[in-house]
Each structure stands twice: as C-alpha cells, then as structure tokens.
Amino acid sequence: MILRRDFFARTTEVIAQELLGAFLVHDLPYGRVVGRIVETEAYLSDGDPACHAHKGMTNRNASMFGPAGRAYVYLVYGMYYCFNVVTAEKGKGEAVLIRALEPIEGISLMERHRNTSDLKTLCNGPGKLVMAMGIDKRHDGQTLMSGALKLMSSDSSEFQKYNSQEIDILRTTRIGISKGTELPLRYYIRDCNFISKK
DNA sequence: GGTGGGATTAGCT
DNA sequence: GCTAATCCCACCA
C-alpha cells in the first residue's frame, strides 16, 4: 500500500518511528530499486536548532514548509544530497531524514549507482542511499504520493516477507549535527546490519 | 581496530 | 571567511 497524506500529515516523531520497516521505491526508466527503511531522524519546528527550518524559510529549505508527503532534498558538505520526507501541517517546517536502508530490490542497479558491491555499506548513510536509489536534487519538492518515487507501508503484500519479525525500535540522539545534540530524535531498528553506527 | 584530512558548494555572518 | 543533517581513503596501531 502506498503511503498517502493521512500518513504524512501527523506528528513528525510518530512518523519517524512508523517509517521504520516501510519501503522506499523508485521506478527508474531502466528498472526498479527498493530499500527498506531502517534508520530515521525527526527534525522539528519548535525548540530544535538543528532543523533547517529553525531560522525560517530560505530558498534551500522551502519544500520543508510545503504540504506533507513531499520530498525535501538538499546538498550537504557541497557534495552529497540528503533525502527527507516532509511531515506535519503545511507551513510548519518539519521533516524526517532517511538515514539508512536495507537494499531489497534492484541491488545490481544500486551497486552501479554507488560503484561498490558491498551490500552492507550500499545504503548505510543518508548520502549513500540517495545515490543508490537514483535520487537527485530534481526530486526536491516533488510529491511522494504519486509518481516514480514513493513510500510503501511496512505491511505491503509484495514486501511483507521482509518484515516477518517484529520491529524492535531503539531511540538515541541524532548524528552529524552540532546543535540540538541532546534531543532523542533518532530511531533505528535493533540488530540491523545496514546501519553504520549502533 | 580507530583517527584525520580532503573534496566541494550554498548560505550565512 | 566559515560551516555544514557526509563519505572515502590513507595511515597508524
């Protein structure tokens, strides 16, 4: 089942947890790539200095202020892109960063995108998964509810076999930020092999 | 096993 | 000028 607006237009922290086990699907002209979400981070509008929307809207973060269910894709460190799902009400400026995926389908395509064949490190970071999935800055502001790039629920029939176990969620502080480091807004699946930091 | 530096660009101060 | 929601490789242990 494709995730729709009623899923995305809710509390960001809840969505960050519920996205664990869901599937990111990209139908490219030359094939389909699918990853199972195993690590996320929430970025909030209130009291969260690490959130790009914290200081208001700019050209870069404009899609964070749009309606829920769209992509927010931005350049970090001048070289890599990060992929976020815009959440909550329109205008709030909240999102969930997808930090890691378990490669599920189209693995040879992912390997080509990333120029590596090491399954464990193919999608175990936000910049890496963007590359593996064939996401780029053109996806910024695009809807995830129709079109080539979409999210499928964790109980989708075609992927159900990948969620046979109960998902055990751990919560920690976020990674790679210098402000808001004390907030416990990172979520990941326990004992997952496709996450770089436990 | 762990650490340190370089790549590369947009947006702020 | 400096920093950033990162990654990779060289180098040391």
Side-chain angles (χ1 to χ4, degrees):
Chain A
M1 202 179 61
I2 183 162
L3 295 175
R4 303 281 183 195
R5 187 168 314 282
D6 57 357
F7 179 87
F8 298 113
R10 296 182 298 149
T11 308
T12 301
E13 292 176 70
V14 171
I15 296 167
Q17 293 173 69
E18 293 190 4
L19 279 175
L20 294 177
F23 299 88
L24 183 59
V25 178
H26 195 187
D27 286 309
L28 293 152
Y30 46 91
R32 168 176 266 204
V33 283
V34 180
R36 176 175 173 256
I37 298 173
V38 295
E39 181 185 5
T40 62
E41 284 178 357
Y43 286 86
L44 308 178
S45 58
D46 295 321
D48 181 5
C51 182
H52 286 173
H54 185 65
K55 291 181 178 173
M57 186 159 69
T58 64
N59 223 27
R60 178 207 214 194
N61 67 17
S63 34
M64 278 190 96
F65 292 88
R70 293 194 189 178
Y72 169 44
V73 179
Y74 68 91
L75 183 68
V76 254
Y77 293 99
M79 281 191 119
Y80 297 99
Y81 288 93
C82 287
F83 170 74
N84 299 250
V85 180
V86 177
T87 55
E89 313 89 270
K90 180 180 178 180
K92 244 197 151 185
E94 302 202 338
V96 174
L97 170 69
I98 309 302
R99 278 198 66 89
L101 302 173
E102 173 184 353
I104 297 292
E105 229 178 80
I107 291 173
S108 61
L109 289 179
M110 292 186 186
E111 291 174 341
R112 221 167 301 162
H113 291 156
R114 286 265 297 116
N115 196 29
T116 178
S117 57
D118 179 15
L119 194 63
K120 291 189 64 139
T121 59
L122 206 49
C123 299
N124 71 342
K128 298 180 197 177
L129 73 89
V130 160
M131 240 181 288
M133 292 294 294
I135 296 169
D136 60 54
K137 64 175 182 296
R138 295 192 303 266
H139 290 97
D140 183 43
Q142 285 196 184
T143 182
L144 301 169
M145 296 176 288
S146 60
L149 185 63
K150 51 202 165 279
L151 286 154
M152 308 277 290
S153 68
S154 56
D155 59 359
S156 298
S157 52
E158 55 182 315
F159 303 125
Q160 211 168 16
K161 57 184 168 187
Y162 299 108
N163 280 313
S164 49
Q165 313 253 348
E166 189 73 9
I167 294 173
D168 198 354
I169 298 174
L170 295 183
R171 179 178 195 175
T172 69
T173 53
R174 293 171 296 181
I175 289 180
I177 54 173
S178 57
K179 292 167 278 185
T181 52
E182 72 291 348
L183 300 173
L185 295 174
R186 171 174 177 252
Y187 305 90
Y188 65 96
I189 296 178
R190 187 188 189 101
D191 296 331
C192 179
N193 292 320
F194 302 95
I195 295 170
S196 52
K197 304 189 183 175
K198 57 166 189 179

